[in-house]
Structures are given as structure tokens and as C-alpha cells.
Amino acid sequence: MDEKRLVDGTTALAEKQARVIKIEPTERPQNVRLRVAAYTRVSSDSEDQLNSFAAQNRYYTELISSKAEWRMVDIYADEGITGTTVAKRNDFQRMMADCRRGLIDQILVKSISRFARNTDV
């Protein structure tokens, strides 16, 4: 009977570089555009926050529309809503549902705190 050898992993690490095998698709889709959405949120109804809210929505609409390789999915926007809970953030919930359905490839957001901050699901 063959004697079993204990292996600590160093033998595997010392071996040659791992091979990468790339399998190309048989049919490459032409003119596939990235499905892009944006999420905007302001946490109060103050005038300066509402101006920022409108500016963000306008900026993302123009930015996404200006890129030939992007297709606008939607601008998801919650106005005057806190970022600490998702319960009242209807557009955030709608956006996440669209992500789960595979409708969005990329989400643009002003800052991560606008997207999620101390968020409980």
C-alpha cells in the first residue's frame, strides 16, 4: 500500500504560474450598451437641499444621455428622506428591485453616504 504524505500547501504554491483559459463567446453581441441608473437623495426639504436635488437629477440625466455606450435605465430619487433606513426610501427600494431583476449594470451616485449610511434592511 502507498504511504500517505502530509502536505502543507507549499508544494502547490511552488509550482508554476496558474494558467488562465479564456473562452470566447461563439457570437459576440454588437453595440451592447451599459444599462446605467443614478440614485439621488436629499435628507431635508430645505431650499438649498432641493436645489442640490434638482441639480443632481439634471446632471445625471445629461451625463448618462451624453455617453453613446450607456443606456439610461432611470434616475431613482428620494426627496427629503433620511439615509439611515430604507423603509421610506421608495425609489431606493424600486432601484434595488430592478437590480435584482437584472435591469441595471451600473449605478451612479454623488457619494456613498447618499446611497447608504447606517442602513438596516
Side-chain angles (χ1 to χ4, degrees), residues 100-116:
R100 288 194 244 353
R101 292 175 32 214
L103 302 178
I104 299 172
D105 297 317
Q106 180 173 311
I107 299 171
L108 306 178
V109 64
K110 178 181 174 184
S111 71
I112 196 65
S113 67
R114 297 292 89 192
F115 185 74

Side-chain angles (χ1 to χ4, degrees), residues 56-68:
Q56 288 178 60
N57 290 332
R58 189 171 46 255
Y59 171 78
Y60 287 123
T61 300
E62 291 171 6
L63 176 66
I64 296 168
S65 299
S66 72
K67 306 277 187 184

